[in-house]
Amino acid sequence: AALPKATILDLSCNNLISLPSDFCSLLHLVKLDLSKNRLQQLPLDFGRLVNLQHLDLLNNRLVTLPVSFAQLKNLKWLDLKDNPLDPVLAKVAGDCLDEKQCKQAAVRVLQHMRAIQSEQDRERQQKLQAEREMEKKREAEQRAREAQQRELRKREKAEEKERRRRQYDAQRAAKQEMEKQTKKETVQTRKPPSSSRPPQPPRHKHSWSRSVLRVLLFVLVCILCTLAVCKLTELQHQPLCISVNTLYEDVVAALQNHKSLQNLLHRNSRQ
């Protein structure tokens, strides 16, 4: 790291197990020899060495390469022999027995790693898209729940308003009915029911007058019957009938005298 502008670096035959994280800051490296070490993996950001053209990884313990390896766009030579590579990667890399094979290995490995990177990017994009769709779905569900809750609150508010309106109408009707009843009772108190029809005489007085009239009629009938008996039957010579006849004649004479007196008075008044 103290030599950031180094272009050629030979670290072969050093039994290296790993490379430090700041190794990839050597951005000016053009040729790198890491052969005959014990490297099990390369740094994940190994692709930062974009100027690298020649890479020797002979006889290490590498199984795979970091995905960032696809960014080594200037790589022209690559040797991966004698590594326990993944079968697919080993088949892609092939042999590096001469200059031509090592150059072909560099081209094929870069293509393979770029395909892996594209696949991972696609998977990442699909995962991101799925997460976005899931987030949109959750947001839609949340909006639907909120809309449902708003509709429920709106319906409850409308029902409460309708209940209060019915209660108010019932109270108002009861109040009007009470006022009407109070007014009716007040009118009845000020104007008795008997004032709407003429007063009637007490029943006991009416009954007494009727009884007196009945008695008078009965007496009159008796007198007429007695007079008829004494005038028309053989009982007229009896003492009772004689008294009755005499009384009858006296009454008739008195009435006639009364009539004659009236005529005399009338005549005098005319004169």
Side-chain angles (χ1 to χ4, degrees):
L3 301 172
K5 294 185 179 181
T7 57
I8 300 175
L9 180 61
D10 187 354
L11 296 175
S12 61
C13 304
N14 282 293
N15 292 323
L16 298 177
I17 297 176
S18 63
L19 297 177
S21 59
D22 55 354
F23 180 84
C24 297
S25 63
L26 302 175
L27 302 180
H28 294 277
L29 284 179
V30 175
K31 184 176 181 180
L32 176 61
D33 189 353
L34 295 172
S35 62
K36 298 179 182 180
N37 286 290
R38 293 187 294 170
L39 295 173
Q40 297 180 2
Q41 61 181 7
L42 297 177
L44 294 178
D45 56 348
F46 193 80
R48 292 176 60 192
L49 304 177
V50 293
N51 292 314
L52 194 61
Q53 298 180 13
H54 186 106
L55 178 59
D56 193 348
L57 294 172
L58 173 69
N59 194 10
N60 278 280
R61 299 179 182 180
L62 297 174
V63 177
T64 60
L65 298 175
V67 178
S68 64
F69 199 90
Q71 300 175 10
L72 301 178
K73 58 184 179 178
N74 293 315
L75 188 63
K76 302 292 190 298
W77 195 95
L78 177 63
D79 188 357
L80 289 173
K81 291 192 308 297
D82 299 331
N83 281 282
L85 296 175
D86 178 79
V88 176
L89 180 59
K91 183 177 180 181
V92 170
D95 291 331
C96 182
L97 301 176
D98 54 27
E99 188 74 14
K100 182 178 179 180
Q101 289 182 346
C102 293
K103 289 182 177 180
Q104 291 177 351
V107 173
R108 289 194 298 266
V109 170
L110 283 178
Q111 291 177 350
H112 176 69
M113 298 308 299
R114 287 170 183 170
I116 293 176
Q117 186 180 39
S118 298
E119 182 66 23
Q120 289 185 354
D121 291 341
R122 185 165 53 253
E123 291 178 356
R124 191 181 302 109
Q125 290 294 331
Q126 291 177 353
K127 184 178 180 181
L128 183 61
Q129 184 66 23
E131 291 177 354
R132 290 176 179 175
E133 292 178 356
M134 184 63 66
E135 183 65 22
K136 290 181 179 179
K137 184 177 180 180
R138 285 195 294 266
E139 291 178 356
E141 292 176 353
Q142 181 66 23
R143 287 194 297 269
R145 285 194 297 269
E146 292 176 355
Q148 185 177 5
Q149 291 176 358
R150 286 195 300 269
E151 185 65 23
L152 180 61
R153 288 194 296 268
K154 184 178 179 181
R155 185 164 58 250
E156 290 177 352
K157 188 180 293 184
E159 292 176 355
E160 179 67 17
K161 185 177 180 180
E162 180 65 18
R163 185 186 65 81
R164 291 183 179 180
R165 187 187 65 80
R166 289 197 299 267
Q167 185 178 3
Y168 173 76
D169 292 342
Q171 292 178 354
R172 185 177 180 183
K175 185 177 180 180
Q176 291 178 353
E177 184 66 22
M178 186 179 297
E179 291 177 354
K180 185 177 179 181
Q181 186 68 22
T182 304
K183 186 176 180 180
K184 184 177 180 181
E185 291 177 355
T186 304
V187 171
Q188 290 178 354
T189 303
R190 293 180 180 178
K191 188 176 181 180
S194 59
S195 61
S196 61
R197 52 185 178 179
Q200 297 180 356
R203 287 189 174 184
H204 65 279
K205 186 175 181 180
H206 180 72
S207 301
W208 180 81
S209 300
R210 187 176 295 178
S211 300
V212 171
L213 182 59
R214 288 177 181 177
V215 171
L216 291 177
L217 289 174
F218 179 73
V219 172
L220 181 59
V221 169
C222 291
I223 292 173
L224 290 176
C225 291
T226 302
L227 185 59
V229 170
C230 292
K231 283 288 187 181
L232 301 176
T233 64
E234 297 178 354
L235 297 176
Q236 57 184 345
H237 299 293
Q238 295 294 326
L240 180 60
C241 288
I242 292 173
S243 300
V244 170
N245 291 333
T246 302
L247 180 60
Y248 172 73
E249 291 175 356
D250 291 340
V251 170
V252 171
L255 291 175
Q256 289 177 352
N257 291 332
H258 179 67
K259 187 175 182 180
S260 299
L261 181 60
Q262 285 183 349
N263 292 332
L264 178 61
L265 292 174
H266 180 67
R267 214 171 23 248
N268 290 336
S269 63
R270 290 175 61 185
Q271 289 177 359

